[in-house]
Each structure stands twice: as structure tokens, then as C-alpha cells.
Amino acid sequence: GAVVSQHPSWVICKSGTSVKIECRSLDFQATTMFWYRQFPKQSLMLMATSNEGSKATYEQGVEKDKFLINHASLTLSTLTVTSAHPEDSSFYICSASRDAGGYGYTFGSGTRLTVV
Amino acid sequence: EDKVVQSPLSLVVHEGDTVTLNCSYEVTNFRSLLWYKQEKKAPTFLFMLTSSGIEKKSGRLSSILDKKELFSILNITATQTGDSAVYLCAVEVGGTYKYIFGTGTRLKVLA
């Protein structure tokens, strides 16, 4: 149980375009999901907390207008990187917990974004 | 400022060796500490620790938390090449279910 699916696994896009990444909890409902970013050989950096039915909470330094998060249902959160630039190239990964953290968090498989 | 520090940053051992990875933290209102193993892509969950002094064990891996000294260790005995990975420690911040990750320890086990 506690499977989180993330799509796409990798994407290459042109500068200036927008990219949407989906994170789904397949066998449980998640009122809260988290979005992380990871640069090569670095740790996961929390970008934002996605709350079902309300606005996301962004970490300091993360542009909310650039990284749009929508958590429209209990099983789906989306991260849209708007007007992407090469410096946005990174590994984006979501996580969710089936019981608000009691059994730890499950990560999606991640999305490698390359902006050219 | 909340922070999580892992040591060592990198470690190379031979198969059969035992390794100890460290994670120290300073966070507001500690609730839990998690260990993850990350190979090529997404981290996989290893342990969640909430109470001091209670060892969690899974096969050759074990972990313990010291809430007084603010650290946790992850032990791996009889290491195998398949243990080669980055081991991440994450600590929950202020009861918010948000986790701050350490920089990770990159472990390489040589045959």
C-alpha cells in the first residue's frame, strides 16, 4: 500500500514554456502532499506544501507565481513550472503520507526536468 | 534556523564492513526523524523514529534516536554492494508534517 505515482518521469522543454508535473496517491487519500527539488548530488529541498482544497504553502525563496501548485482532489496534486528557464532544470519529486505522517512518507518516482 | 546535518558526507567501505551514519538536528518542536535510502531516483523509506533509545531494526539495518543529544544513527552491518546509495535523514519541523532533509551520506560498498 501507500503508492505515489508521479508523471512524467522526464521532460525536456524549451525556455519560456510551462511544464505540468502530476503527483497521485494511488491507494490512499492525501490531504497534504509535498513538493521537493533536488539538484545533482544535493539533498532534497522542500519547495511547498500542497493542501487539498486550499492554497499551497511555499517555503522561503520559492516563487509561488513560478511554481504553481494545485491540489484539486485528495489523490492529485500538480506542480506547474511556468515560463521555464534553464536554471529550473532539476529533479522534482513529490511525497505524501497515507496517515498524516504516522507511517512515514512515500515518494513519487520523481520528474527530471531539462529546460533548453 | 532549523537544520539537519549528516556525517560523513561520503564513505567507501568493503563488503562485510559495518558502517554507522550520523544525523544531528536542531529543529523547533521535534516530532519525528526519518531515514531514507536513495539510489537512482526516489528515496525509499527505511525508518521513522519518534522515541529516544528504542532501536528500530530491519534485517542488517538498524537505527536509534537520542532526543537529548539531538541525533540519530543508522547502522548497516555486513554491508553488501547493494547497500551503495545515498542515505538521507529528514526531521519533521514543528509538528507540521514538513520535513527538512540533511545533505545525505553517500555510501559506496566495494566488492
Side-chain angles (χ1 to χ4, degrees):
Chain A
V3 178
V4 175
S5 170
Q6 192 171 336
H7 176 82
S9 296
W10 59 269
V11 57
I12 301 173
C13 71
K14 288 187 175 180
S15 280
T17 60
S18 295
V19 173
K20 181 186 282 189
I21 303 170
E22 292 186 349
C23 180
R24 292 181 186 273
S25 54
L26 297 185
D27 54 354
F28 66 100
Q29 293 183 330
T31 55
T32 302
M33 293 185 177
F34 299 95
W35 286 96
Y36 293 86
R37 181 175 183 175
Q38 187 176 35
F39 291 105
K41 297 191 178 181
Q42 294 189 29
S43 190
L44 297 168
M45 298 296 295
L46 179 65
M47 297 175 67
T49 303
S50 173
N51 305 297
E52 188 269 334
S54 65
K55 290 184 180 180
T57 306
Y58 291 82
E59 295 301 299
Q60 194 171 10
V62 178
E63 298 174 61
K64 60 181 68 176
D65 294 330
K66 181 166 188 60
F67 298 100
L68 300 179
I69 291 173
N70 184 282
H71 195 151
S73 76
L74 285 170
T75 58
L76 174 64
S77 175
T78 60
L79 169 68
T80 301
V81 183
T82 63
S83 187
H85 288 99
E87 57 265 31
D88 298 325
S89 299
S90 188
F91 185 64
Y92 294 87
I93 193 166
C94 68
S95 75
S97 171
R98 66 184 308 159
D99 69 339
Y103 288 95
Y105 281 79
T106 303
F107 284 87
S109 54
T111 298
R112 168 111 17 233
L113 170 65
T114 301
V115 185
V116 298
Chain B
E1 183 186 345
D2 298 318
K3 62 180 179 181
V4 178
V5 178
Q6 289 185 247
S7 63
L9 290 179
S10 183
L11 190 57
V12 180
V13 300
H14 287 93
E15 272 192 320
D17 289 349
T18 293
V19 297
T20 299
L21 310 183
N22 300 286
C23 175
S24 62
Y25 61 90
E26 290 179 34
V27 298
T28 309
N29 298 326
F30 173 89
R31 185 184 179 203
S32 62
L33 182 148
L34 275 61
W35 283 98
Y36 286 91
K37 177 182 181 182
Q38 185 177 27
E39 295 174 89
K40 299 254 168 132
K41 276 193 147 184
T44 52
F45 174 77
L46 295 177
F47 300 111
M48 170 180 270
L49 303 161
T50 57
S51 302
S52 273
I54 300 174
E55 185 183 53
K56 293 273 181 101
K57 197 169 172 65
S58 176
R60 296 177 293 102
L61 275 66
S62 64
S63 184
I64 198 162
L65 174 68
D66 186 327
K67 289 166 74 173
K68 184 180 176 185
E69 300 297 329
L70 307 182
F71 76 92
S72 173
I73 60 171
L74 174 69
N75 275 319
I76 308 175
T77 59
T79 51
Q80 301 171 359
T81 55
D83 296 326
S84 297
V86 174
Y87 290 84
L88 293 167
C89 164
V91 177
E92 184 177 357
V93 176
T96 62
Y97 306 119
K98 295 192 310 185
Y99 285 85
I100 294 178
F101 281 80
T103 50
T105 293
R106 188 173 297 275
L107 172 66
K108 188 169 178 64
V109 182
L110 303 175

